[in-house]
Amino acid sequence: MVKKLIETFQNLYGCGREIRTYFAPGRVNLIGEHTDYNGGHVFPCALTLGTYAAVRNREDRVLRFYSMNFESVGIIETSLDNLIPSEAASWTNYPKGVMWTFEKRGYQLNHGLDIAIFGDIPNGSGLSSSASLEVLTGLILKDTFGFDQISMVEIAQIGQYSENNFNGMNCGIMDQFASAMGKKDHAIFLDTNTLNYEYAPIKLEDAKIVITNSKVKHSLVNSAYNQRRNECETALAELQTVVDIKGLGDLTEAEFEAHKDAIKDPVRQKRAKHAVYENQRTIKAVKALRSGDLVLFGQLINASHASLRDDYEVSCEEIDLLVDLAQSIPGVLGSRITGGGFGGCTVSIVKNEAVDTFIEKIGKTYMEKIGHEAEFYVAAVGDGAKVLS
Ligand code: GLA
């Protein structure tokens, strides 16, 4: 992978001066969906899938970008003096946004770069290819310009800030945090209110994490996402008239039930209900996993899906089919949509002996009913972003 990337880099930009290489992973979230912008908990893990970069310093202020995933786009050339979002900039809006944020925070970038990247996260799958690209860029800049004072948590924050303010997607911190801070064979139990986190070993005994890609991404994902976020913010403001809280994640289920009538609109009430219950489910799920109660862990995952489908309404026909099929297979402990929603992937906890049946059965029925294939990955949980050489 890295060898091919370096070869491509040299063909594009010529041989010669030192080339450095970097990697940042994608993520899958086990539970805690749409809680990260509500001051709740999330429980993601970094994958071994991700984005690789080869980088060389330049003496001027020119930036050249190339992605092996978008060969037809070719080299995109710009400059450190032109860090503004544009449609023509295509995928480079993500690295440019991170560079813009660095400069905004006073970290001056005093020379340009030649960059080539390659990613093995399927595009549009909801496994955070864009967050991995942001964290990758943050790490490149930290390493290249010697910003030792910048922690990996700050890199995650910079990625989120750039996505919010440069790319117009009002996401929470989960994806960037998982990509920056992941740990092999562990999931991250993160309190998005305080950014306190703990690593929890993924002890699934005789089961695996299976990711199923629906290979659909419905349009308007970003606008629907931003809309959900606005609904939660309005619901929070209504609740704050009757109870002293900073975020929906501060409430238990019982407290929510006691105060929910402050939320005037029934749709908004459902959204807030999801955020509150999902946060509590996440806390319970981590406890269950830690105590080895995989049955309860799976049940909470199933309940998460029902809530995302019915109350938060971010699922879709294709994903519901995948989840229904998965939940009907013996040996599947739990299955749900993962990520922002409206397509993308499901995550399922599947006993080893059921993995083949899972893939065969779901693959066949999905093809028959939806008309295209689903893709399956048995997840390998890896480390966060790193300098390779
Ligand atoms: C997207 C966002 C995350 C998070 C999830 C939903 O992946 O980038 O911040 O909100 O959706 O849990």
Side-chain angles (χ1 to χ4, degrees), residues 256-333:
F256 175 76
E257 294 302 330
H259 299 297
K260 67 180 181 193
D261 291 340
I263 306 170
K264 294 301 168 220
D265 174 69
V267 171
R268 230 166 23 235
Q269 206 177 92
K270 287 204 294 185
R271 306 294 192 246
K273 178 178 179 201
H274 166 78
V276 171
Y277 279 66
E278 179 76 355
N279 179 46
Q280 295 299 326
R281 262 193 296 273
T282 306
I283 297 168
K284 289 177 197 156
V286 175
K287 238 187 228 158
L289 182 64
R290 284 203 160 124
S291 65
D293 191 346
L294 290 181
V295 171
L296 177 59
F297 184 61
Q299 285 165 351
L300 291 161
I301 287 178
N302 289 342
S304 166
H305 184 75
S307 175
L308 287 157
R309 180 191 59 210
D310 302 335
D311 287 339
Y312 219 66
E313 297 181 281
V314 289
S315 191
C316 59
E317 183 198 345
E318 295 86 349
I319 290 284
D320 287 340
L321 175 65
L322 290 175
V323 168
D324 287 346
L325 290 169
Q327 290 179 355
S328 73
I329 294 174
V332 173
L333 295 163

Side-chain angles (χ1 to χ4, degrees), residues 7-222:
E7 267 171 39
T8 306
F9 186 99
Q10 288 172 330
N11 289 338
L12 290 167
Y13 303 128
C15 298
R17 288 184 301 140
E18 181 210 32
I19 299 171
R20 299 177 306 281
T21 53
Y22 304 87
F23 171 75
R27 65 93 189 92
V28 64
N29 187 23
L30 299 179
I31 190 163
E33 216 67 81
H34 292 278
T35 46
D36 66 345
Y37 48 85
N38 285 307
H41 293 77
V42 291
F43 196 47
C45 45
L47 297 170
T48 53
L49 301 171
T51 314
Y52 297 81
V55 180
R56 184 190 275 152
N57 293 350
R58 297 181 59 93
E59 271 154 22
D60 53 17
R61 292 182 58 78
V62 169
L63 296 166
R64 288 193 295 178
F65 295 100
Y66 179 84
S67 168
M68 290 171 69
N69 298 79
F70 299 106
E71 283 179 349
S72 62
V73 175
I75 295 177
I76 295 185
E77 186 168 323
T78 180
S79 130
L80 283 168
D81 302 315
N82 184 32
L83 296 177
I84 40 173
S86 75
E87 216 167 289
S90 168
W91 65 272
T92 70
N93 281 314
Y94 291 105
K96 279 173 70 178
V98 171
M99 293 175 176
W100 173 80
T101 309
F102 265 69
E103 296 232 301
K104 215 168 146 46
R105 293 195 171 197
Y107 303 125
Q108 271 177 25
L109 312 178
N110 52 22
H111 61 76
L113 298 166
D114 285 337
I115 299 179
I117 70 156
F118 171 76
D120 55 10
I121 305 171
N123 271 333
S125 59
L127 299 176
S128 294
S129 54
S130 47
S132 84
L133 185 50
E134 289 156 2
V135 169
L136 183 72
T137 309
L139 181 60
I140 291 171
L141 301 180
K142 172 178 157 73
D143 186 55
T144 301
F145 296 98
F147 297 131
D148 297 339
Q149 71 275 36
I150 304 182
S151 67
M152 289 309 286
V153 171
E154 191 181 349
I155 297 268
Q157 290 171 313
I158 288 174
Q160 182 200 9
Y161 185 91
S162 73
E163 183 140 355
N164 292 172
N165 297 287
F166 197 86
N167 286 291
M169 161 77 171
N170 217 359
C171 64
I173 188 75
M174 170 170 71
D175 305 347
Q176 291 81 4
F177 199 96
S179 179
M181 300 296 294
K183 181 171 167 179
K184 189 175 187 308
D185 297 329
H186 289 71
I188 310 171
F189 182 43
L190 170 68
D191 178 344
T192 62
N193 187 27
T194 57
L195 292 191
N196 290 336
Y197 63 95
E198 285 165 26
Y199 292 112
I202 304 182
K203 287 183 300 188
L204 295 177
E205 291 162 24
D206 55 351
K208 297 225 161 14
I209 300 170
V210 182
I211 299 170
T212 308
N213 187 353
S214 68
K215 302 191 86 169
V216 295
K217 186 184 178 192
H218 293 288
S219 55
L220 302 178
V221 174
N222 288 8

